[in-house]
Amino acid sequence: AQSVAQPEDQVNVAEGNPLTVKCTYSVSGNPYLFWYVQYPNRGLQFLLKYITGDNLVKGSYGFEAEFNKSQTSFHLKKPSALVSDSALYFCAVRILSSGSARQLTFGSGTQLTVLP
Amino acid sequence: NAGVTQTPKFQVLKTGQSMTLQCAQDMNHEYMSWYRQDPGMGLRLIHYSVGAGITDQGEVPNGYNVSRSTTEDFPLRLLSAAPSQTSVYFCASSFRTGVGEQYFGPGTRLTVT
């Protein structure tokens, strides 16, 4: 079975400081990893994904994530946080196999608050 | 393109009532899915479909039915609403390959009293 863990329910960071939102995963095959963001009263929006290749993935709004196979992690990062980055962030994993090939498993979410 | 649309945005039901949550997409995506979002639990998959006429159960299917008669529409039916079904429901779609991102609708906030 595949699973995703986001160990921090809440992350606070000052505007202009770098931010990190953590994600670890557990799968039995090669993972496809995703980050989504949810603003209040909205649906989830795609930020970035790792499929294969370069371990550092760049996405929307200046976000990036680093895939670390040995640590089974896929942390979301941004060099300089903005107040507008405040939102709920979800990590998700999918594996390609028969049966549940297309099911996406989500973490519990991390609320990011950027303080002015 | 409108993307993924959901109706209604809000709904209040009494225990035992039934209703259908509507979902439509105009991106010609084969894969569609329904999730429920509860505080501290992330999103949990209810049902999904890999194409018209094909549906399957996700993690939490009990109390819900789906059908997929067209590529565009994927309604979710609550057969007999229970307070435990109070949640925010999201519909999503994607291409069938499995490596692409999912596009989410704006959600339906359902309260069962």
Side-chain angles (χ1 to χ4, degrees):
Chain A
Q2 57 195 41
S3 65
V4 173
Q6 293 180 244
E8 299 161 319
D9 292 335
Q10 174 83 39
V11 170
N12 295 328
V13 63
E15 187 174 28
N17 282 1
L19 70 86
T20 299
V21 182
K22 296 180 180 176
C23 171
T24 60
Y25 65 91
S26 174
V27 299
S28 56
N30 291 321
Y32 290 7
L33 293 154
F34 301 81
W35 275 102
Y36 287 83
V37 60
Q38 184 180 30
Y39 297 101
N41 300 313
R42 304 287 296 274
L44 277 69
Q45 296 178 30
F46 170 76
L47 273 181
L48 51 80
K49 65 182 177 185
Y50 171 82
I51 303 299
T52 186
D54 194 349
N55 289 344
L56 185 63
V57 178
K58 293 189 184 297
S60 306
Y61 313 121
F63 283 93
E64 57 188 28
E66 185 169 10
F67 172 66
N68 188 317
K69 189 171 184 177
S70 63
Q71 297 186 1
T72 63
S73 67
F74 189 57
H75 300 333
L76 181 70
K77 300 182 180 184
K78 188 174 183 181
S80 179
L82 299 172
V83 172
S84 57
D85 292 329
S86 299
L88 186 57
Y89 290 81
F90 289 98
C91 182
V93 65
R94 171 186 286 155
I95 58 172
L96 273 190
S97 63
S98 60
S100 61
R102 295 162 192 85
Q103 291 196 32
L104 201 60
T105 299
F106 284 86
S108 56
T110 298
Q111 180 66 48
L112 172 68
T113 300
V114 181
L115 305 168
Chain B
N1 286 352
V4 180
T5 57
Q6 291 182 238
T7 56
K9 284 186 167 43
F10 302 94
Q11 183 70 50
V12 178
L13 290 178
K14 294 186 186 304
T15 298
Q17 288 184 318
S18 63
M19 78 159 295
T20 300
L21 279 62
Q22 301 293 343
C23 174
Q25 53 91 10
D26 61 359
M27 296 173 283
N28 202 31
H29 286 167
E30 300 96 335
Y31 182 70
M32 296 185 74
S33 53
W34 276 102
Y35 296 89
R36 59 178 289 172
Q37 182 180 23
D38 302 292
M41 301 187 73
L43 276 76
R44 292 182 292 168
L45 184 66
I46 304 171
H47 285 285
Y48 66 98
S49 168
V50 299
I54 306 169
T55 63
D56 206 348
Q57 296 181 351
E59 181 185 356
V60 288
N62 292 342
Y64 308 95
N65 271 356
V66 292
S67 59
R68 184 96 179 270
S69 56
T70 67
T71 299
E72 294 78 19
D73 300 298
F74 190 45
L76 177 73
R77 297 182 188 85
L78 279 69
L79 308 173
S80 177
S84 60
Q85 294 179 303
T86 294
S87 187
V88 181
Y89 292 85
F90 290 101
C91 179
S93 72
S94 67
F95 288 109
R96 192 172 182 174
T97 59
V99 303
E101 61 269 28
Q102 291 196 355
Y103 295 80
F104 284 81
T108 295
R109 185 174 295 275
L110 175 68
T111 302
V112 182
T113 61

